[in-house]
Every structure is written in C-alpha cells, then in structure tokens.
Amino acid sequence: MATRNKSAKKKSGKDRSAEIEKAGAALRIQVREYVKNRDNPQPEGTIEPAKGKLGVMIPGMGAVATTFVAGVEAIRKGLAKPIGSLTQMGTVRLGKRTDGRSPKIKEFVPLATLDDLVFTGWDIYNDNMYEAASNAGVLDQRLLDQLKPFLSSVTPRAAVFDHNYVKKIDGPNVKKGKTKMDLAEQLRDDIRDFKKTSGVSRLITMWCGSTESFIAPTAAHQSVKAFEKALRENDEMIAPSMIYAYASLMEGVPFANGAPNLTVDLPVMLELSRKNEAPICGKDFKTGQTLMKTILAPGFKARMLGLSGWFSTNILGNRDGEVLDDPGSFKTKEESKLSVLEHILQPELYPELYGDMYHKVRINYYPPRGDNKEGWDNIDIFGWLGYPMQIKVDFLCRDSILAAPIVLDLVLLVDLAKRSAELKGIGIQEWLSFYFKSPMTAPGLYPEHDLFIQLMKLKNTLRHLKGEELITHLGLEYYD
Ligand SMILES: NC(=O)c1ccc[n+]([C@@H]2O[C@H](COP(=O)([O-])OP(=O)(O)OC[C@H]3O[C@@H](n4cnc5c(N)ncnc54)[C@H](O)[C@@H]3O)[C@@H](O)[C@H]2O)c1
C-alpha cells in the first residue's frame, strides 16, 4: 500500500511538472500571439492566393530578357538550377535562433510558381526569343536548341520607340500613331489582348529595354492630368518607357524598371500606381560592379576605415554596352551608379573618413567581350593614423547571368505585392531596394543602398506580411 501510495505520489508529481510545462508553453504561445498581433494588427488572410497563371510582359527582348525567359524554361524542364534567385533558393528565419524554423521563402509566402509564368514582349527588332537569345550570345547554343520550340513561340509585339531616346539602335518593328496618347492606347490594347489570349489571371510589366537618354522631370510629369495633356500634345519630354508605364498602370498592372531611366520614378506614376493599386519599383538592376560596391562599402564604414578614392571602369561588348556608348544614355547610367557611395558612406556624418573621396565611373564599349563584362575597381582606403592602403577588384562577370535571377525575383515579389492588401495601394515598393542600383523611395526619403540592410528590409517585410515577429538581431533573450 505504502509503495503504491509512494508511486502514485511520484506519478502525480511528474504529472504536475508536465502540466506546469504545458501551461508554460501555452502561455508562451499566447504571449507570442499577443506581441505578434500588437505589432501586426493586419488580419490573417490579407494576401490573396497565387491562383491561375501570371503573365509577364517585357518591353525589350534583349540579353537580360532572353536569359531570364530561357532560364525559367530550362529550370522548368529540370535542365538547370535557379542559382542567384532569393525567392527560389533563399530561406527566411522565423522566431528565435533556437526555434529551428527557416522555411524557404517560396514556401513561406504564396508566390507564383515557375510553371505559372507565361511571357510576352515588345521589341523594335522582329527576332523571336530564340533568335534574340542566340544573338545575345549569353547562353550556350546547345541549351537554347533544347528550348527552341518554346522560345520561338515568344514573338515581339511592335514597340513604342523614339530614336532620340536611344541613339545607337534603330529597328523596323515600331508602332505608328499620331500622338503619344495613341501609342499608349495601342499598348493598352496589347495588354488586354495578351490577357485574353493567354488566359492569365494576373499581369506584370518588367522593363528590360535599353537605357534611354538622360532627362530631368518637368511639369509634364507632375500629375496624371498634366501627363495626359502632354501625351496628347506629343511632348518631347515623354520617353517611350513612360508610355509603357502609363499604359500598364492604367490597366492596373504593376511595373518594375530594370534600367536607370526615370520611367516610373515620377509623381504622375506614383499617383497612378496608388490610384489603380498597381505597385511600382526601380531603378536599374543591381548586378556586377555596383553589387560589389554595396557589399564592400558597408564593410569599410562598419570598421571606420576611410576612403580617399574609388575608380571604377568597365569594358563590355553587348548591345547594352553599345547603347551606353552614347553620352545621353551613359549619363543616365552614370547618375545611377554614382549615387551609391555617397548614401552608404554618409560623408556628412563622417567628414574625416569620407568628406574628401573621389568617385569616378567609366564604361567603355569593347565588342570582343560581348556580355562577359570586366569591371575593375581601384579602391584607395586609409586606416589607423591615416596610413593608406589599396584594394583592387577585377570582376570578370556575366552581366545577364547576374541580372536574370533578379528579374525572376522581381516578377514574383511584385506580383505578391499586388495580391497583398497592405502593399498594393502604397505605390513604391521600397522593400525591393535589394535588387536596384538606384532604389526608388517615397519623396524626400534617401534610399538605402547597403545590401545587408536591404536584405533585412526585404525579409522583415515578408515576416510582417505573414504576421511573424520581426528580427532585430538584439538577441539579449538568449542570455536571460
Ligand atoms: N546586368 C545587366 O545586364 C544589367 C544591369 C542593370 C541594368 N541593365 C539594364 O537592363 C536593360 C536591358 O539590358 P540588356 O543587356 O538586355 O540590353 P539589350 O540591348 O540586349 O536589350 C535591350 C532591348 O531593348 C530593346 N528596346 C529598346 N528600346 C525599346 C523600346 N522602346 N521598346 C521595346 N524594346 C526596346 C532593344 O531593341 C533591345 O533588344 C538596359 O537598360 C540595361 O542598362 C542591365
């Protein structure tokens, strides 16, 4: 009896501690839920599911566009892997480091799958995607031949083009219209036609066209009313890329800009984007040299190392290089590349370290290299007591190979934004700065260029959308 009592007593003690443990766990979940809901009042289910096909419309079927589309098809066929794509390969940590929760991004948020993507494009040349990809010379011809039937089926629609904005090229496949408004209407017809004939449920426009000549915003770009008047009056300050942007946003279709042109970085486009709940983002894919700059410069600043000069030069021989050989197009690119260091290093806060730096960027068209660019950087830094040091970076990169996964991620994430109740009406998607050389921001806000801050911003936005705790990296709770 005594033994039985003892064992019963022992058992109930064990039970009690299990109960306490269970109650503690439930309380911890409740507290987590409370904090989550307090910080994220957004109700569950405010991201619409990615149902149906997603139509990807690409003005500019050149090296980047064809490398992207051919790459997606190669991956769908199991011939290659989506290396470089955060949405396909990246994970996002949730909760504490000890929780062991790190799902893949594509499993954490409802993204369209690669099988859902359907493509169309516009170009001034008549080449279909197979021919254009073969001409671009980025991907191996044997791979392209395996994809030939699919790639040949993507043919270019007639482009809206103005030679004054891209001086080095000209082509036959161009729309005609009395006014720029007529051209915008024709693009809107193209969009509706693609939606109808392809049976897609959602659309996105992804500018992969050439870099246009540099212009500054004018009165015509300040409101929808002024812009529409300017379209009807054929105002020369309206570039072709802006006509594509206007047509897309009028159709409620999001627009991402891979080139440094202003395009959607204008008050008129922000107004339209918000009104029609069509997200916008840009500008200029962050690929080779600028990617390196936004990796290295935050490191120098973190260690309080000074910088006296940064000389960057590039040689490239693709069509993009030829277009950038024109001073007008180069100026657009130069502006985009130059702003990065100023914003990362903040010379106004650290005048002794960065107040006197010399930053120079050169791009030289050199045909033998094709798409395989070489970017040299000579970096003059200084350390303890002002002693100088030098760093040389020679990046033998492949431009379009670096750009293609960015295009894929932008397509999928901008489509996510369009389905998110919280993001679709805000206009500029600053959380996608990670992908751009000149990230667009709300008026008056300086852009965040540091790649690691940009990544944190992107992942925290995903956590926020899903009502997960944001990660601050404070980590004191591990030492309670
Ligand atoms: N790593 C990169 O490759 C990279 C990085 C950042 C930005 N970009 C930008 O991305 C864009 C595409 O680069 P790319 O290497 O594919 O260039 P590309 O010259 O191979 O392709 C651009 C295509 O756009 C077409 N085009 C020009 N104006 C057009 C218009 N109004 N409508 C329709 N088509 C038009 C051209 O005919 C050409 O086929 C460029 O603006 C480039 O500066 C590229």
Side-chain angles (χ1 to χ4, degrees), residues 121-333:
W122 292 269
D123 208 290
I124 63 169
Y125 300 108
N126 285 309
D127 297 343
N128 63 42
M129 279 264 173
Y130 173 76
E131 293 158 337
S134 303
N135 289 339
V138 177
L139 298 175
D140 194 282
Q141 197 60 41
R142 277 169 309 181
L143 176 66
L144 294 178
D145 287 342
Q146 291 182 73
L147 311 170
K148 188 170 178 181
F150 169 77
L151 290 175
S152 308
S153 72
V154 188
T155 50
R157 292 164 191 273
V160 170
F161 185 69
D162 180 348
H163 185 64
N164 290 323
Y165 275 94
V166 187
K167 296 223 166 59
K168 292 276 174 173
I169 56 172
D170 225 339
N173 191 30
V174 174
K175 289 192 196 309
K176 290 190 175 56
K178 256 198 176 140
T179 69
K180 292 187 176 182
M181 186 57 105
D182 292 341
L183 296 172
E185 289 301 335
Q186 291 178 41
L187 287 175
R188 293 182 68 179
D189 285 344
D190 284 351
I191 296 172
R192 289 187 212 121
D193 171 72
F194 176 57
K195 183 152 192 208
K196 206 163 121 204
T197 54
S198 64
V200 298
S201 59
R202 307 176 312 282
L203 293 166
I204 164 172
T205 308
M206 177 77 242
W207 177 268
C208 291
S210 308
T211 299
E212 295 172 330
S213 256
F214 180 80
I215 53 167
T218 65
H221 305 119
Q222 300 309 311
S223 69
V224 176
K225 205 167 156 219
F227 190 81
E228 288 178 340
K229 181 167 176 281
L231 277 175
R232 284 190 292 269
E233 290 172 356
N234 279 331
D235 188 323
E236 61 174 15
M237 297 310 276
I238 295 188
S241 65
M242 296 175 195
I243 305 178
Y244 286 93
Y246 171 81
S248 295
L249 300 179
M250 286 298 282
E251 292 297 315
V253 176
F255 191 104
N257 180 17
N261 332 309
L262 287 176
T263 314
V264 277
D265 200 2
L266 296 166
V268 45
M269 302 301 173
L270 181 55
E271 187 184 330
L272 265 185
S273 161
R274 281 169 167 266
K275 188 166 147 239
N276 295 346
E277 299 189 325
I280 49 175
C281 61
K283 317 184 287 273
D284 207 5
F285 302 127
K286 175 147 83 174
T287 51
Q289 198 164 51
T290 310
L291 173 66
M292 286 301 142
K293 241 171 221 173
T294 63
I295 291 172
L296 291 173
F300 301 149
K301 190 172 86 172
R303 287 301 176 107
M304 291 287 109
L305 292 168
L307 183 78
S308 51
W310 197 315
F311 178 75
S312 302
T313 184
N314 297 270
I315 52 172
L316 79 161
N318 57 14
R319 194 184 283 151
D320 187 32
E322 191 181 356
V323 167
L324 294 173
D325 216 28
D326 170 63
S329 293
F330 174 67
K331 171 120 174 80
T332 312
K333 194 59 131 182

Side-chain angles (χ1 to χ4, degrees), residues 26 45 117-118 155 198 368 387 412 446:
L117 304 184
V118 182
T155 50
S198 64
Y387 277 72
L412 300 183
Y446 71 80

